[in-house]
Amino acid sequence: MSREDPQLKIRLPLELKEKITQSAADHGRSINSEVVARLEQSFSAPETTQSLLEEAVMLTLKAVKDDPSLLNNPKVSTKYVADNNAEKDTVEFINKNKAP
């Protein structure tokens, strides 16, 4: 990155600035480099996020299958659904505070 790259002035909460500053120090980079790296990562993340989410769902299903007592929590249930004509296990998180 050079001084000729466009500059952007932003406002952010003090707590967020402190987190960025700490993360930059942890990674051995400048605050600017930390912000740029995190922004670049966020734009390339949809595929990664989707795969992590799918993995989390599968691990949750395995945990429920291994220990069905986890379903005693009234805010968690499992169901079988068809997705693109293929059956898949899913986990549904139910917010009992919302009206149906």
Side-chain angles (χ1 to χ4, degrees):
M1 193 161 309
S2 72
R3 296 243 177 233
E4 295 164 5
D5 287 332
Q7 294 185 10
L8 175 67
K9 186 175 182 175
I10 62 169
R11 289 189 179 95
L12 59 152
L14 178 60
E15 289 177 8
L16 182 56
K17 182 185 183 294
E18 290 170 348
K19 287 178 182 179
I20 293 168
T21 301
Q22 183 60 53
S23 183
D26 292 346
H27 292 106
R29 1 184 215 221
S30 68
I31 293 172
N32 188 78
S33 293
E34 183 69 21
V35 170
V36 169
R38 285 176 172 261
L39 284 171
E40 286 176 344
Q41 179 185 13
S42 73
F43 287 111
S44 66
E47 299 82 21
T48 303
T49 302
Q50 180 66 31
S51 66
L52 288 172
L53 191 56
E54 289 173 1
E55 184 178 350
V57 167
M58 294 311 295
L59 289 170
T60 303
L61 287 167
K62 182 182 180 326
V64 168
K65 286 179 180 178
D66 291 346
D67 183 4
S69 71
L70 292 172
L71 290 177
N72 292 337
N73 180 340
K75 292 187 177 185
V76 179
S77 69
T78 60
K79 64 180 179 178
Y80 222 70
V81 297
D83 181 28
N84 296 331
N85 297 325
E87 291 185 347
K88 291 185 176 182
D89 284 327
T90 63
V91 176
E92 180 178 76
F93 294 93
I94 303 164
N95 185 344
K96 296 286 187 181
N97 297 327
K98 289 186 177 179

